[in-house]
Amino acid sequence: MDTADAAPRAAVPARSTRRRVYASTMIGNVVEYYDFTLYGTLAAVLAKLFFPSGDGLVALFSTYVGVSLSYFIRPLGAVLLGPLADRRGRRGVLILTLSLMSVGTAGIGLLPTYAAIGAAAPVLLLLSRVLQGLGASVEYTTAAQFLLEHEPGSRRRNYLAGLMNATCSVGSLLGSGVAFVLTVVMPTATFDSWGWRIPFLLAIPMAFIGFYIRNRLDETPEFEQMKRQVDAVEAKQTPLRDAVRLYWRDMLKAIGLGAGQRIGSYTIQAYLVTALISAGFPTSLALLASMLTYAVGPLPSVWGGVLADRYGARLPLLVGYGLFVALTVPTFMAIGSSSIVLATLAVVVFTVLNNLVAAPLNVACVLSFPPEVRSSAAALNFNVGTSLIGSTAGLVAVWLHDLTGSDVSFGWYMTAACAVSALVAVFALPAAVDYREPDWASGNIGTAVVGESDHGRPAR
């Protein structure tokens, strides 16, 4: 490969390009987490509207099935859309994912309720969640690649990954904030009748903004370089097969490393409001406490990335997961107390720890793999971990609460997951967190992004 071919990898994007790239990754995360948080926040309302009345626990449990279903479908989305991003490019897939997510979210706001169409209502609700889940299946990982591949070899990769995670809190804050404002300014009967539709329909203008930004962007230089190499040797791309065959160990490590944080994320976004309400706190106070967690979330996300870049990824990972092991059960004890101040403080600390570890997890998830399989491998490991471990948090929490009468039992469940993640950080930390710029001048397709893999063989 000549110098001209290699130059795009080392080039620093112009400031205007950087701003557009950052905005393009932000808007997708905002839409994704806006929807997820909104659905979880309004779970109690949706349970009454879309499922038969009678057993409130069954209706709430069925509503959380919608959360899990949208995540169970994500591995399928990863299998379909991940290879597409490896073959055709990241930018086109990002436009597709935004379309699917927006249609799924806005669709919920247009659905007739159980009182209007009977059993078809929950079916249509769950189908909307499936559509949203397909779009979100590769949104986060592809957006992370798009951001990191525009600055290959950057010494601030963990900071950028933390910035990505911070925008998730922005989407969650927006979702919970809109729900909170509407529940305060609208009479309960009015909100339950039609006001609940407004937050879901707001996904439409957000989508138009996202389309405008993403349509003005170029493909990443790293993908274009890889594609030129593939075309030059007329290689047949089989990214999904190659990812599973060559990088399954790295995918398992990334899944294990993120297990505790996945449960924490979906507990914050989809269950804590329900837990506070179940503990006897007013809905408005529960929503306000939830909004506070999202407001403080961006700072530890970025701070964890800065720490990982400066001192190595193990520092924020071991501090975060170590404190999670010590404090998760006390957090749920505080939620079950009669003090809204104590409960809110516990939830805020919970959020800070959860976001502190996010940046190196994102780096491990995405940069453990070379560009020609990166989308497939990242989407698969992220979505398998999220679907099997993270998205079931609400279901497990509701089941354990019904079984034991307390949310503390769920705290022990999460504590065990955080202990597993801490052990992975100590003994099997994915090599991507010590990422080094590969020798692209060799012209070899498949040169490892991490140079030497952490299982002692050159990554292929």
Side-chain angles (χ1 to χ4, degrees), residues 77-90 93 138 145 149 223 226-227 230 235-248 251 368-381 445-446 460:
V79 169
L80 295 175
L81 301 180
L84 184 64
D86 284 325
R87 293 192 185 100
R88 302 297 182 185
R90 324 308 194 199
V93 169
V138 298
Q145 292 166 59
E149 287 182 1
F223 174 82
M226 179 272 291
K227 195 62 177 175
V230 170
K236 180 181 179 182
Q237 286 184 272
T238 55
L240 184 63
R241 187 186 69 180
D242 291 345
V244 174
R245 183 169 62 92
L246 299 175
Y247 297 99
W248 61 271
M251 287 193 279
S368 293
F369 316 99
E372 65 269 19
V373 301
R374 184 171 290 157
S375 289
S376 300
L380 194 59
N381 86 72
I445 301 172
R460 288 176 265 177

Side-chain angles (χ1 to χ4, degrees), residues 9-58:
R9 297 199 167 276
V12 177
R15 183 174 297 179
S16 59
T17 300
R18 278 183 170 180
R19 285 198 295 262
R20 290 198 301 270
V21 169
Y22 294 170
S24 73
T25 56
M26 281 178 157
I27 191 65
N29 284 342
V30 168
V31 171
E32 177 181 353
Y33 284 86
Y34 173 86
D35 167 79
F36 186 88
T37 304
L38 191 62
Y39 188 89
T41 300
L42 299 180
V45 175
L46 296 176
K48 292 186 294 183
L49 293 172
F50 285 92
F51 294 91
S53 59
D55 192 329
L57 178 64
V58 172

Side-chain angles (χ1 to χ4, degrees), residues 1 7 10-11 28 48 60 74 118 122 156-157 179 201 284-285 295 426:
M1 187 194 319
K48 292 186 294 183
L60 184 60
R74 290 191 180 199
R156 56 177 195 157
R157 65 188 64 88
L201 295 176
S284 59
L285 287 180
V426 173

Side-chain angles (χ1 to χ4, degrees), residues 49-52 112-126:
L49 293 172
F50 285 92
F51 294 91
T113 63
Y114 187 88
I117 60 172
V123 173
L124 291 174
L125 177 66
L126 297 180

Side-chain angles (χ1 to χ4, degrees), residues 216-280:
R216 299 179 65 205
L217 291 171
D218 295 325
E219 187 53 77
T220 71
E222 196 163 4
F223 174 82
E224 290 179 338
Q225 179 63 31
M226 179 272 291
K227 195 62 177 175
R228 284 196 294 270
Q229 291 180 336
V230 170
D231 293 341
V233 298
E234 298 182 348
K236 180 181 179 182
Q237 286 184 272
T238 55
L240 184 63
R241 187 186 69 180
D242 291 345
V244 174
R245 183 169 62 92
L246 299 175
Y247 297 99
W248 61 271
R249 293 183 183 88
D250 301 275
M251 287 193 279
L252 287 179
K253 289 178 182 179
I255 291 170
L257 189 67
Q261 198 263 357
R262 295 287 179 264
I263 295 175
S265 293
Y266 299 107
T267 299
I268 293 168
Q269 294 155 6
Y271 187 69
L272 283 181
V273 170
T274 301
L276 288 169
I277 294 172
S278 298

